[in-house]
Amino acid sequence: MLRALTLALIASLSLIAPDSQAQDVRKAKFGDSKPVNWKSRAPSTYPVHGIDVARFQERIDWKRARKDGVNFAFIKVTEGGDLLDPMYADHWRGAKKAGVARGAYHFYYFCTKPEVQARWFLKNAKKDKGALPPVLDMEWNPFSPTCKKRPPAAEVQKQMKTFLKIVERGYGQRPIIYTTPQFYKDANLHQMAGEEYWLRSTAKTLDRAYPGQKWSFWQYSATGVISGVEGDVDLNVFVGSKADWKRWLNARQR
């Protein structure tokens, strides 16, 4: 009986360990192959750093990356209504095992209905305990061989709201919106009040690139160098202090 209880306790601790580890903030020891000389508040002044990854990062030593200061990771799972990132499952498992807080993201495609894309995401994104909110990646894709559509702002916002509503209902968390300066401007995303944002700006601080916009995450580089990750990788920071990060995790994790 005692041995059975001990094994049960060990099993239960292994289930909650990744979540507790995710709140243990590690100091970033990142490099950058094309560093920027930030004129005002640099990303290095923020204590909580992370990465985002997709199929381009084929294999990651997540334990080394975690030791190097990767506290969170946003991992691509789907694109459009039929594409599944081939590295999603591997990255998802590896990040969790290493104690990296992780969330799944969807790359939006303007030639497929938002309802179809939302269902595709929900079909493939794992709903694990401790997962971060899902992410809706909204940006123009000039390199797409099949879809060159650029709908007007009102139509973009309508499609986004449809996707967000369906995924929030099905996943149990309101998605974060990722976007770029040009898309943000073209789609008038400042009008979408109350949403949570992950913003890209690799040359300007966010107060200059998105004046007045509140944010939770900042993607500040596409040329990061991190132990355990082959090649360049996107670098990100969380907006607040270590204590803010713990509060955010407690409020936004599944």
Side-chain angles (χ1 to χ4, degrees), residues 45-63:
T45 63
Y46 293 91
V48 185
H49 289 244
I51 60 177
D52 59 275
V53 297
R55 62 183 175 85
F56 307 107
Q57 290 76 35
E58 292 187 357
R59 295 291 174 186
I60 295 177
D61 185 333
W62 286 98
K63 287 185 178 180

Side-chain angles (χ1 to χ4, degrees), residues 21 24-29 47-49 63 66-71 98 242:
Q21 290 175 31
D24 179 19
V25 176
R26 307 284 178 86
K27 183 178 180 180
K29 304 173 184 177
V48 185
H49 289 244
K63 287 185 178 180
R66 177 74 170 112
K67 187 176 180 180
D68 217 32
V70 174
N71 296 289
K242 293 179 182 180

